[in-house]
Every structure is written in structure tokens, then in C-alpha cells.
Amino acid sequence: LARGGDPAQAVIEAAKALRLEKHSKNAEVLAQAHAAFTKATHELLNAASWNPQMLRDAARSVDAVFAEDSSAEIRELKQEVDVETFAYQMSVLAVGEGAADATFGLSQSGSGEATITVKEGDIVAGRFKVVAIKRDRVQVEDTQRKDRPLTYYENKNEVTSP
């Protein structure tokens, strides 16, 4: 870590070392690796210049670490990334006539509904504020990520952020 190494790899190696030798120094190194890895993961999730690959990278990295270290800190971080991944997997199924409304397909919904029809100003999945509906896309702001602007395209499983 001190030489700029990969925080995920640091956690993996530190967890292996602690399993081989239960020593306070190994536990301290693992705690430092946890902190660096959590920080790096949150930087991916909260990046101002965000793209979907960053979420995929965070998920892949957390999954790799979780395979070696299922501590409470890593379980909590994995849950956060998993929730984020599911939230961003929604899609615009249809834009209504005159772009008056739009229907989203949700990958996870607290109400159990698979779809929701919204208008500008509505909130989708408890966090995405609809700011504009266009003929082939819907622009939203992620209220849990500093109002990150996102665009979902009709009948495409993609999301973009400027």
C-alpha cells in the first residue's frame, strides 16, 4: 500500500497472512488494507466523472476480496456495492406519447413491482429523480450520489453520465 499497490490485492494478501499467522502486526496490516480498499471502492462509487465501468470494477474487486475475506467490514461493503449494482440496472421500457411519461423496468423494487411509470419530478427506486423525459431517453439525478446526472435510453440496457 505504501508503494501505491492495489488495495484489493493488499486485503487479499493481508487476510492470507493473518490466517497463516495470527499476529497483531498482521491484523494491523489487514485493518490498514481494509481502510484503503473501502476508500478506493467509495471513490469509484462517488466519482464526479462517473461511468458504468467504474461500478463494474467496484463489484468485481469487492467480489474478489470477499472470496478471501468475509469479515464484517467487507460484507458491509459488498452489500453496498451489490445494492448499487441492482439500482443502476433499471431500464427505460417505453417513453409515452409526447414524452409526457416514461416506464422503467426495475431490477429491484421495495414494492415488488417490476415496472413503474413516472413523470418529471418523480422519484424512481427511492433515489433517482426524473429531471427530463425526451423522445428516446430519460434523464435522472441520483440523489444518493450527489445528484449525479444519468441518462437511461429507451429499450437499451445502458446508462451514461456526462
Side-chain angles (χ1 to χ4, degrees), residues 37-114:
F37 178 64
T38 299
K39 180 180 181 220
T41 301
H42 284 140
E43 286 172 355
L44 287 172
L45 297 178
N46 292 316
S49 180
W50 182 88
N51 66 65
Q53 185 61 46
M54 297 170 104
L55 181 54
R56 290 189 291 272
D57 290 347
R60 184 174 36 257
S61 186
V62 168
D63 286 346
V65 167
F66 186 72
E68 291 293 330
D69 179 359
S70 60
S71 64
E73 297 94 338
I74 300 302
R75 278 194 315 268
E76 184 178 311
L77 186 60
K78 180 172 175 23
Q79 181 180 4
E80 180 182 356
V81 172
D82 288 349
V83 166
E84 195 80 356
T85 298
F86 282 115
Y88 274 71
Q89 287 177 352
M90 65 185 189
S91 61
V92 176
L93 301 176
V95 173
E97 192 170 324
D101 59 25
T103 301
F104 277 92
L106 306 177
S107 63
Q108 183 178 24
S109 173
S111 64
E113 297 174 26

Side-chain angles (χ1 to χ4, degrees), residues 103-125:
T103 301
F104 277 92
L106 306 177
S107 63
Q108 183 178 24
S109 173
S111 64
E113 297 174 26
T115 63
I116 184 171
T117 300
V118 296
K119 295 180 174 158
E120 287 183 15
D122 288 350
I123 301 292
V124 178

Side-chain angles (χ1 to χ4, degrees), residues 1 4-14 29-30 32-41 43 61 65 74:
L1 284 175
D6 176 23
Q9 196 59 41
V11 172
I12 291 168
E13 295 304 321
V29 169
L30 181 58
Q32 291 171 354
H34 277 169
F37 178 64
T38 299
K39 180 180 181 220
T41 301
E43 286 172 355
S61 186
V65 167
I74 300 302

